[in-house]
Amino acid sequence: DADVTQTPRNRITKTGKRIMLECSQTKGHDRMYWYRQDPGLGLRLIYYSFDVKDINKGEISDGYSVSRQAQAKFSLSLESAIPNQTALYFCATGLAGVETQYFGPGTRLLVL
Amino acid sequence: KQEVTQIPAALSVPEGENLVLNCSFTDSAIYNLQWFRQDPGKGLTSLLLIQSSQREQTSGRLNASLDKSSGRSTLYIAASQPGDSATYLCAVVGNEKLTFGTGTRLTIIP
């Protein structure tokens, strides 16, 4: 089984809809991250969490919210989706004191 | 604000050739630098991590170098193979967060 899983893998939604992307990990890592990837812009950090009670905004948090339900689960919500939120979304995990991050397979989101 | 640039955006080379991918960054106060590989429809896989105090790291046919003073890193791939075709991303770590470059899409021509 994959260490970092994301659901759904693909999602099509309409403008104004609320959607949630979910991330689960079995690595036992305390840190979790949400990124979006757009062509020509690389990966940009949306939100990150260093433990269950710690949530921090990243570079592009406007229009998004997150919830760290447990150490292993970190969900990303789009309260009212808009077309420019069409992107590939990645969840990642990390361990304090260890610099690398481990990425999920991504969720491809299309907002019509 | 840290900015990371990778040029070229795309590169095609014949199988068997050695090649170099480039990464530059604007703020030399980095903790480390990582190279990732991204395959279509899949997540990112970490290839090499270079600590700020190191000059290079090697793994198999891959060698990554780091020159903090000039804000540059290179990823050298020896004897390229079709399976090396992917997008390669560099990322710098500062304040416990990664800043990614836009990537180089590499195609190895059989």
Side-chain angles (χ1 to χ4, degrees), chain B:
Chain B
K1 177 186 174 185
Q2 178 74 268
E3 294 184 0
V4 182
T5 304
Q6 292 183 250
I7 296 174
L11 180 66
S12 294
V13 300
E15 180 179 359
E17 287 197 359
N18 303 324
L19 61 99
V20 174
L21 305 180
N22 297 296
C23 173
S24 60
F25 47 95
T26 55
D27 185 351
S28 62
I30 65 172
Y31 191 63
N32 63 43
L33 184 142
Q34 290 185 259
W35 283 92
F36 291 86
R37 169 183 173 139
Q38 183 178 17
D39 293 284
K42 297 185 179 180
L44 279 67
T45 302
S46 181
L47 297 173
L48 289 165
L49 183 152
I50 311 176
Q51 302 283 358
S52 62
S53 58
Q54 296 176 320
R55 297 285 296 190
E56 63 180 284
Q57 280 285 344
T58 298
S59 176
R61 296 183 294 109
L62 305 180
N63 176 275
S65 68
L66 174 64
D67 184 344
K68 280 182 57 179
S69 61
S70 66
R72 295 181 185 277
S73 176
T74 62
L75 179 66
Y76 175 84
I77 302 177
S80 60
Q81 303 171 356
D84 294 330
S85 296
T87 296
Y88 291 81
L89 297 161
C90 72
V92 298
V93 180
N95 295 322
E96 302 186 19
K97 295 191 293 292
L98 298 180
T99 302
F100 283 86
T102 52
T104 295
R105 188 174 68 253
L106 175 65
T107 302
I108 305 300
I109 305 167

